[in-house]
């Protein structure tokens, strides 16, 4: 058993996905915001959640248009993603500064980030108040995955996605290591006594 140090109530938990959330207002102004508090929260219906401070431009825009896109950030975009998390879209056009390409989505008004290998289009279905934060629940209406991630047999290559992860609390970005086990299969060995 490991010896543990108590940290108290804080936001140290990792890894977290590094995502770029794209949103748009009713006038068509787009914003990019880095968010690590994002994840799939339901399979039926397919739902994604992001947690945003209510003072953020992204929050305002999602409330206006009822949609957002969660874009998975690859390791190659670490610097651009960090910039989008430390500067406000009220002051700067982050797509221009970072050189990221905005691509029209199929089902929602908010655009995709063209350089991100996985884009999740969401329609806002519910908002939950959490102090100064709001948990935004979005029904997944379309997912776009990079073509180069697919093998001829239909399987996907994680290496093609190369996801960037964030270590909350210590404020560092990391890449993933290698494959260590197969989900829904390798754990069965414990039942078989192997």
């Amino acid at each position: 058993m490991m010896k543990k140090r108590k940290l108290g109530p804080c936001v140290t938990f990792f890894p977290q996905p590094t995502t770029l959330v794209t949103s748009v207002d009713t006038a068509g102004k787009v914003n990019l915001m880095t968010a690590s508090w994002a994840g799939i929260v339901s399979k039926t219906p397919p739902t994604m959640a992001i947690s945003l401070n209510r003072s953020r431009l992204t929050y305002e825009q999602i409330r206006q248009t009822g949609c957002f896109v969660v874009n998975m950030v690859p390791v190659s975009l670490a610097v651009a993603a960090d910039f989008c998390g430390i500067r406000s879209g009220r002051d700067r056009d982050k797509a221009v500064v970072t050189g990221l390409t905005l691509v029209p989505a199929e089902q929602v008004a908010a655009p995709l980030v063209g350089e991100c290998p996985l884009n999740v289009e969401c329609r806002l279905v519910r908002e939950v108040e959490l102090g100064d934060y709001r948990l935004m629940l979005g029904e997944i209406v379309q997912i776009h995955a990079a073509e180069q991630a697919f093998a001829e047999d239909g399987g996907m290559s994680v290496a093609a996605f190369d996801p960037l992860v964030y270590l909350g609390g210590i404020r560092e970005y990391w890449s993933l290591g290698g494959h260590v086990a197969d989900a829904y299969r390798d754990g069965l060995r414990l039942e078989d006594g192997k």
Side-chain angles (χ1 to χ4, degrees), residues 40-48 121-122 125 138-141 143:
I40 302 292
V41 294
S42 173
K43 184 176 180 179
T44 53
T47 305
M48 182 154 229
E121 296 184 40
C122 300
V125 293
E139 180 182 0
I140 297 169
V141 294
I143 295 181

Side-chain angles (χ1 to χ4, degrees), residues 1-2 17 30 49 57 73 76 82 95-97 105 126 165 174:
M1 189 157 96
M2 294 181 216
V30 173
L57 177 60
V73 176
S76 62
D82 193 53
V96 170
V97 174
R126 188 165 174 214
V165 295
W174 286 66

Side-chain angles (χ1 to χ4, degrees), residues 24 32 48 53 63 92 98 104 106 123 125 135 138 152 156 159 162 166 171 179-180 185:
V24 64
L32 294 165
M48 182 154 229
N53 188 290
R63 291 286 311 266
R92 303 238 177 115
T98 60
E106 182 180 299
R123 277 201 193 99
V125 293
L135 186 66
E152 286 185 22
M156 281 196 269
D162 198 18
Y166 176 68
R171 296 184 172 189
H179 173 258
V180 295
R185 190 184 81 192

